């Protein structure tokens, strides 16, 4: 099968199933597809269709027969959630992806995009991390269960491509943020967690905000609107066996991130550090040159993306509205 495909997504009325459409990623993909004029989006909430239930997924595909599938439904969380609920992170993700990929194949879906994560790579992978670093060393222990499920997802897509000549591709996003993120105080990722903590400290007049770990780990952040754009770009332009990294190239330490979020939120107190919390991977900058060579680049800077996300947070999450 060719490495690029061109017009697969040219029919704007083709039925596209966006699994996980109310989440951070799925909602951004829906916005992007709507902006581009796609008119036939197939959407189901978790309550309407539990993707861990194989028989329900099978009947759904038999009845609806989507043409394309974007798999953005998953059990997702930050370092604490991954470390605390390993059974959920491995089992739910294996179930969702196996059910959706198999039913999509059986019921004639033309193309499927699976989403993994930068945590699939070894803890001490070369930096920036090329796609070829997959399965070359031990994983980061705090998220190895989730990572194993995501690696299995990549391999499932590859296996169906090899055995059935079926067009399943995989994108590996770096750490994401933006509207509809999860702002849970413990289970979320660092960026929404800090935004909420700084905001609540500003409102309550607290003197200090405590940040987890040492502040030294490096993370690369990508705004979810850029990710959504990259997903549609890949569906339109890529049809290869290997997964594709999706990063921004914008890397900051957690300390720098905390200072930036503090400034955007307007908290004027001090930063404290909780060294009992894990740092996780020391660094995971993706090498996104493969995606760049196909012709895609990100647009949103971290500072602009943080400002936009904080505005969204004030309007949509806060009862106090500043
Ligand atoms: N957020 C990030 O920083 C990153 C995310 N990714 C990947 O992007 C994808 C989407 O993540 P993200 O948008 O952040 O996650 P969210 O938690 O924001 O959204 C996940 C979505 O999946 C749905 N879902 C979960 N379980 C089920 C189920 N059993 N049946 C049906 N729907 C279900 C959720 O519905 P409900 O809320 O109702 O349960 C929700 O709509 C994942 O594959 C993730 O690995 C990759 C790298 C970084
Ligand atoms: C996307 C990615 O997300 C996870 O990996 P992670 O990058 O380690 O994610 P994180 O955002 O939770 O933490 C990043 C860093 O930030 C520090 N940190 C400080 N203060 C808070 C804080 O308040 N909350 C959180 N969550 N982290 C904090 C934290 O200690 C760590 O050093 C996995 O789910 C993984 O599977 C995955 O794919």
């Amino acid at each position: 099968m060719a490495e690029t495909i061109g017009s697969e997504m040219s029919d704007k009325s083709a039925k596209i199933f966006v699994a996980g459409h109310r989440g951070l990623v799925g909602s951004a993909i829906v916005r992007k597809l709507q902006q581009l004029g796609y008119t036939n989006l197939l959407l189901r909430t978790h309550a309407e269709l539990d993707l861990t239930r194989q028989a329900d997924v099978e009947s759904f595909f038999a009845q609806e027969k989507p043409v394309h599938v974007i798999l953005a439904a998953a059990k997702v969380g930050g370092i604490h959630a991954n470390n605390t609920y390993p059974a959920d992170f491995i089992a739910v993700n294996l179930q969702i992806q196996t059910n959706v990929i198999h039913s999509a194949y059986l019921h004639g879906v033309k193309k499927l995009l699976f989403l993994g994560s930068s945590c699939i790579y070894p803890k001490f992978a070369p930096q920036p991390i090329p796609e070829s670093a997959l399965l070359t060393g031990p994983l980061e222990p705090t998220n190895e269960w989730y990572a194993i499920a995501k690696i299995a997802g990549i391999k499932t897509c590859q296996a169906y491509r090899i055995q059935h000549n079926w067009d399943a591709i995989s994108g590996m996003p770096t750490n994401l943020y933006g509207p509809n993120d999860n702002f849970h105080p413990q289970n979320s990722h660092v960026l929404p967690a800090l935004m909420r903590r700084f905001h609540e400290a500003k409102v309550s007049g607290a003197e200090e905000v405590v940040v987890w770990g040492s502040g030294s780990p490096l993370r690369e952040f990508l705004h979810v609107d850029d990710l959504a754009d990259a997903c549609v770009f890949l569906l339109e332009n890529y049809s290869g066996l290997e997964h594709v990294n999706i990063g921004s190239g914008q890397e900051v330490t957690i300390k720098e991130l905390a200072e930036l979020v503090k400034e955007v939120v307007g908290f004027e107190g001090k930063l404290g550090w909780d060294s009992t919390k894990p740092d996780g991977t020391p660094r995971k900058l993706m090498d996104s040159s493969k995606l760049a060579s196909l012709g895609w680049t990100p647009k949103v800077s971290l500072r602009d993306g943080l400002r936009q996300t904080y505005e969204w947070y004030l309007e949509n999450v806060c009862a106090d509205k500043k």
Side-chain angles (χ1 to χ4, degrees):
M1 192 167 287
E3 279 282 309
T4 56
I5 38 150
S7 60
E8 256 323 271
M9 296 274 290
S10 59
D11 178 4
K12 299 270 159 121
S13 64
K15 195 184 268 192
I16 305 175
F17 176 39
V18 183
H21 72 285
R22 294 209 292 198
L24 171 68
V25 169
S27 62
I29 288 173
V30 166
R31 288 196 299 278
K32 175 51 71 180
L33 290 171
Q34 286 171 338
Q35 262 172 29
L36 293 172
Y38 289 93
T39 54
N40 197 359
L41 304 187
L42 178 61
L43 310 171
R44 290 290 184 277
T45 64
H46 188 165
E48 288 164 345
L49 176 64
D50 182 344
L51 296 169
T52 64
R53 299 173 80 96
Q54 196 259 333
D56 293 356
V57 175
E58 176 59 22
S59 321
F60 168 76
F61 274 88
Q63 193 177 332
E64 294 292 343
K65 296 212 174 298
V67 178
H68 305 295
V69 173
I70 302 173
L71 182 41
K75 172 79 184 167
V76 177
I79 193 166
H80 172 77
N82 268 269
N83 215 8
T84 311
Y85 311 109
D88 291 353
F89 276 86
I90 192 163
V92 171
N93 285 314
L94 285 172
Q95 285 164 3
I96 291 176
Q97 68 205 35
T98 306
N99 291 342
V100 172
I101 294 171
H102 185 66
S103 290
Y105 161 68
L106 276 186
H107 292 286
V109 164
K110 277 197 188 160
K111 184 159 194 163
L112 177 141
L113 171 64
F114 170 72
L115 291 174
S117 161
S118 56
C119 70
I120 57 161
Y121 292 114
K123 177 166 183 157
F124 299 110
Q127 307 284 328
I129 314 172
E131 283 86 356
S132 58
L134 184 66
L135 292 173
T136 55
L139 298 164
E140 153 61 29
T142 55
N143 58 37
E144 66 175 312
W145 319 98
Y146 176 73
I148 294 278
K150 292 296 186 181
I151 294 168
I154 297 173
K155 291 293 166 191
T156 306
C157 290
Q158 291 181 346
Y160 279 69
R161 177 177 292 274
I162 291 166
Q163 187 177 333
H164 301 298
N165 200 29
W166 185 57
D167 200 0
I169 59 171
S170 300
M172 294 305 116
T174 188
N175 291 45
L176 305 169
Y177 69 98
N180 294 313
D181 209 338
N182 168 12
F183 290 85
H184 189 278
Q186 276 82 44
N187 293 335
S188 63
H189 291 100
V190 60
L191 194 152
L194 292 186
M195 190 167 278
R196 175 175 175 168
R197 211 170 295 146
F198 281 120
H199 174 77
E200 290 178 352
K202 181 177 84 168
V203 170
S204 71
E207 286 180 5
E208 184 183 75
V209 159
V210 174
V211 184
W212 298 355
S214 65
S216 66
L218 285 151
R219 290 292 182 273
E220 177 192 23
F221 292 95
L222 179 73
H223 191 279
V224 75
D225 286 347
D226 275 337
L227 187 263
D229 193 55
C231 289
V232 177
F233 178 87
L234 283 174
L235 282 164
E236 287 175 343
N237 294 287
Y238 182 72
S239 183
L241 184 69
E242 191 181 49
H243 58 284
V244 181
N245 288 346
I246 311 173
S248 63
Q250 297 187 52
E251 192 186 29
V252 288
T253 63
I254 295 303
K255 182 165 189 297
E256 287 164 340
L257 177 76
E259 300 283 3
L260 200 53
V261 178
K262 177 177 182 262
E263 182 194 319
V264 167
V265 170
F267 172 68
E268 291 181 347
K270 294 183 296 187
L271 285 187
W273 297 92
D274 179 354
S275 59
T276 66
K277 295 286 198 300
D279 271 344
T281 307
R283 190 180 182 199
K284 48 175 173 175
L285 177 64
M286 307 247 265
D287 176 349
S288 299
S289 55
K290 178 171 171 168
L291 182 56
S293 72
L294 292 169
W296 186 86
T297 45
K299 296 188 183 60
V300 185
S301 72
L302 181 57
R303 188 177 285 273
D304 287 350
L306 277 173
R307 285 207 191 95
Q308 183 250 38
T309 304
Y310 186 50
E311 276 167 33
W312 183 90
Y313 174 81
L314 290 175
E315 280 167 24
N316 295 277
V317 180
C318 285
D320 49 76
K321 297 252 170 96
K322 210 171 182 181

